[in-house]
């Protein structure tokens, strides 16, 4: 397509592009077991919660329906990003300036938390602490980008505007005309990170049961979680299931799963890398209404994500290819990096993020005994936020409320019932796509002029 070797379904990876099934797959739960805390979900949030609890002396069981890292934690783009560039317009007026500052601080602290844990658990995940650039591909995007950056700075998250000359001085590929450099964070291999958390949890004595979907649970002072061949009981249950939580019967009126897709090129040659420039390899996200993300990996491939979002009727999360999204990403690859010629696409994959209508995290407690804790609504920022959530939930379970957890308490807007939800969400996404397509047409015309 457009000069690129698009392989379609031949390149599809149902496990995502970062992980393989572990050689030491943990056994399925068979029988009845008990612990101090049961955690459902073996991603960033679930494993971080288990590790923080184990460090405080708790006996922890983690139930994972596939293998730890199978879901969004092992499928995302690998951006460790802070509070600069959030969807401020969706929540700032609702929560007020002071709470918004604390929410932004939560996002920024997530970056610091992950950096500390990489060192503590000795996880090598190819972390590149280069910061992130939020960029524009056409002059019409500059006003929106500057406004967002100013709001982020006012709320305490640093950022520096880079004009055309500054972008060229940094060696950023020329399709990206201007941008906001966010000094905090950078990019990493999310598969290596989540599998590193998995190894650390096993070393810490966390009991991990894989291939063990949660079927239901019985509320009470002791929560009993039912699985296909047994049960796990504890005074606390943590649902760290993010986009899959509505399918368990909780948060269906608060969050919705959105399908996000990615493509990865074959490794670039030395000549191709030289043609890009990009010496610091900053992760780049665009200021489209539905952003594009572009990053180089440690294996010298290019990974592009998002471009198109999709909501599946009934909050379902089928693990199937999304050919239309892969084609849109392939076109973006060609338009942003024409110097790469006919580079082949190595693989493509899709996964699900969890989004609330205000794009903020959804965290709280359910059940008559308030001992069923949940975290969802990563909204594409899960590497830092859902990792830090492990600390906040662990402290909550041990009887202390972290100030950043308190800062996240707010009234989440209610979602719509079906079929209104499907109609409203996909209509809004369609309008965003049309607006982004208009910008892209302008950028193509300008590039030819």
């Amino acid at each position: 397509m457009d000069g690129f070797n698009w392989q379609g379904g031949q390149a599809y990876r149902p496990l995502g592009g970062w992980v393989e099934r572990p050689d030491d797959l943990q056994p399925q739960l068979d029988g009845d077991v008990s612990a101090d805390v049961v955690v459902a979900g073996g991603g960033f949030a679930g494993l971080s919660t288990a590790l923080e609890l184990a460090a405080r002396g708790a006996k922890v069981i983690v139930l994972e329906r596939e293998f730890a890292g199978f879901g969004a934690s092992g499928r995302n783009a690998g951006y460790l990003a802070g509070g600069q560039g959030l969807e401020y317009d969706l929540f700032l007026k609702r929560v007020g300036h002071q709470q918004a500052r604390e929410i932004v601080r939560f996002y920024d602290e997530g970056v610091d938390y992950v950096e500390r844990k990489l060192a503590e658990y000795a996880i090598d995940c190819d972390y590149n602490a280069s910061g992130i650039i939020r960029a524009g591909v056409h002059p019409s995007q500059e006003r929106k980008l500057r406004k967002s950056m100013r709001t982020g700075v006012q709320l305490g998250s640093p950022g520096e505007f880079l004009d055309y000359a500054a972008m060229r001085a940094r060696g950023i590929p020329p399709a990206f005309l201007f941008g906001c450099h966010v000094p905090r964070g950078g990019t990493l291999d999310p598969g290596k990170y989540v599998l590193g958390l998995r190894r650390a949890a096993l070393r810490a004595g966390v009991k991990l049961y894989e291939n063990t979907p949660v079927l239901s649970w019985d509320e009470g002072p002791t929560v009993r979680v039912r699985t296909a061949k047994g049960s796990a009981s504890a005074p606390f249950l943590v649902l760290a299931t993010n986009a899959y939580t509505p399918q368990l019967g909780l948060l269906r009126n608060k969050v919705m799963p959105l399908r996000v897709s990615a493509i990865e090129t074959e490794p670039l040659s030395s000549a191709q890398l030289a043609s890009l420039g990009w010496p610091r390899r900053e992760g780049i996200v665009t200021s489209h209404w539905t952003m594009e993300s572009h990053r180089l990996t440690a294996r010298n491939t290019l990974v592009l994500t998002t471009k198109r979002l999709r909501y599946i009727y009934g909050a379902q999360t089928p693990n199937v290819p999304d050919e239309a999204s892969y084609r849109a990403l392939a076109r973006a690859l060609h338009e942003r990096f024409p110097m790469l010629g006919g580079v082949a696409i190595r693989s493509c994959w899709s996964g699900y993020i969890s989004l609330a209508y205000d794009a903020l995290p959804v965290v709280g407690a359910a059940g008559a005994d308030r001992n069923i804790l949940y975290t969802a609504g990563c909204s594409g920022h899960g590497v830092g936020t859902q990792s830090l959530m492990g600390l906040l939930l662990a402290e909550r379970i041990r009887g202390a409320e972290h100030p950043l957890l308190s800062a996240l308490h707010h009234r989440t807007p209610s979602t719509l019932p079906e079929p209104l939800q499907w109609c409203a969400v996909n209509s809004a996404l369609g309008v965003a796509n049309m607006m982004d397509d208009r910008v892209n047409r302008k950028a193509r015309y300008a590039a030819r002029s």
Side-chain angles (χ1 to χ4, degrees):
M1 159 165 197
D2 288 327
F4 281 84
N5 182 17
W6 172 246
Q7 299 175 3
Q10 298 176 28
Y12 174 67
R13 284 183 52 85
L15 299 183
W18 305 101
V19 297
E20 301 290 349
R21 193 173 299 273
D23 294 333
D24 63 339
L25 197 68
Q26 298 299 292
Q28 180 182 10
L29 175 59
D30 189 353
D32 301 318
V33 295
S34 62
D36 298 316
V37 182
V38 173
V39 177
F44 299 142
L47 293 173
S48 295
T49 302
L51 279 162
E52 293 288 356
L53 287 167
R56 289 160 174 76
K59 180 182 177 183
V60 187
I61 289 171
V62 176
L63 306 177
E64 167 55 49
R65 76 175 191 176
E66 298 286 347
F67 62 84
F70 173 85
S73 296
R75 295 167 187 260
N76 66 83
Y79 286 71
L80 179 57
Q84 182 63 252
L86 298 177
E87 298 296 335
Y88 308 114
D89 289 343
L90 295 180
F91 67 84
L92 182 54
K93 290 182 179 179
R94 295 184 66 254
V95 304
H97 194 273
Q98 185 55 45
Q99 185 175 3
R101 283 185 66 88
E102 291 301 297
I103 290 171
V104 167
R105 189 164 74 87
F106 161 74
Y107 280 86
D108 282 343
E109 175 57 30
V111 175
D112 299 338
Y113 177 84
V114 171
E115 290 178 340
R116 292 195 302 269
K117 294 303 172 179
L118 294 181
E120 179 180 340
Y121 303 139
I123 298 175
D124 180 3
C125 58
D126 305 320
Y127 179 46
N128 177 25
S130 61
I132 292 168
I133 292 179
R134 300 178 57 243
V137 300
H138 186 266
S140 61
Q141 295 178 308
E142 182 173 347
R143 181 180 177 183
K144 176 187 173 187
L145 180 61
R146 282 185 178 272
K147 177 186 176 185
S148 177
M149 187 192 77
R150 284 196 302 269
T151 302
V153 170
Q154 291 167 2
L155 294 175
S157 192
E160 176 192 7
F161 187 80
L162 305 176
D163 61 15
Y164 185 86
M167 292 283 274
R168 305 292 74 81
R170 291 184 74 95
I172 302 301
F176 306 103
L177 305 181
F178 48 83
C180 166
H181 179 242
V182 183
R184 238 189 190 106
T187 58
L188 50 73
D189 183 320
K192 290 182 178 180
Y193 174 43
V194 71
L195 294 179
L197 292 176
R198 179 182 182 273
R199 288 191 299 273
L202 292 173
R203 287 196 305 267
V206 172
K207 191 62 180 177
L208 172 62
Y209 294 99
E210 296 178 306
N211 289 325
T212 305
V214 169
L215 302 181
S216 63
W217 58 83
D218 300 325
E219 295 184 10
T222 297
V223 185
R224 185 185 183 199
V225 182
R226 300 178 183 275
T227 67
K229 294 185 177 181
S231 68
S233 300
F236 288 93
L237 167 63
V238 175
L239 294 174
T241 42
N242 204 30
Y244 306 102
T245 308
Q247 297 172 28
L248 296 174
L250 193 67
L251 304 185
R252 191 178 290 272
N253 65 332
K254 299 296 183 186
V255 298
M256 55 185 167
L258 293 181
R259 185 160 66 196
V260 178
S261 295
I263 61 172
E264 181 178 14
T265 69
E266 291 288 356
L268 304 182
S269 67
S270 298
Q272 287 172 322
L273 288 169
S275 72
L276 285 176
W278 212 348
R280 298 177 182 87
R281 298 187 172 214
E282 304 96 332
I284 298 174
V285 297
T286 66
S287 54
H288 290 84
W289 292 103
T290 303
M291 74 171 194
E292 303 168 7
S293 79
H294 308 265
R295 59 160 296 194
L296 283 166
T297 71
R299 54 199 183 216
N300 290 332
T301 62
L302 257 174
V303 171
L304 280 69
T305 66
T306 313
K307 190 65 177 173
R308 293 289 188 267
L309 296 173
R310 290 174 184 264
Y311 171 72
I312 311 300
Y313 188 91
Q316 295 302 302
T317 56
N319 191 27
V320 296
D322 186 349
E323 296 288 342
S325 292
Y326 306 145
R327 285 193 294 271
L329 286 166
R331 184 180 184 92
L333 174 63
H334 174 64
E335 292 179 349
R336 309 300 174 232
F337 307 101
M339 71 287 287
L340 296 182
V343 65
I345 294 173
R346 171 185 188 173
S347 59
C348 54
W349 64 90
S350 298
Y352 293 87
I353 63 170
S354 169
L355 181 74
Y357 278 176
D358 59 6
L360 288 179
V362 178
V363 57
D369 295 280
R370 311 302 288 173
N371 57 349
I372 300 171
L373 308 183
Y374 54 80
T375 175
C378 67
S379 304
H381 294 266
V383 178
T385 62
Q386 295 304 300
S387 298
L388 175 59
M389 198 63 75
L391 171 64
L392 307 188
L393 294 180
E395 291 190 355
R396 166 69 173 77
I397 288 169
R398 304 307 282 180
E401 178 103 347
H402 194 288
L404 289 179
L405 184 61
S406 300
L408 295 176
H409 293 320
H410 69 288
R411 186 173 180 178
T412 301
S414 296
T415 59
L416 298 170
E418 299 289 16
L420 295 179
Q421 169 96 337
W422 184 89
C423 294
V425 172
N426 285 312
S427 294
L429 294 175
V431 170
N433 290 340
M434 286 191 293
M435 295 172 70
D436 289 341
D437 287 343
R438 186 188 316 163
V439 170
N440 291 334
R441 285 194 298 272
K442 292 178 180 178
R444 285 194 294 270
Y445 178 80
R448 290 194 297 265
S449 300

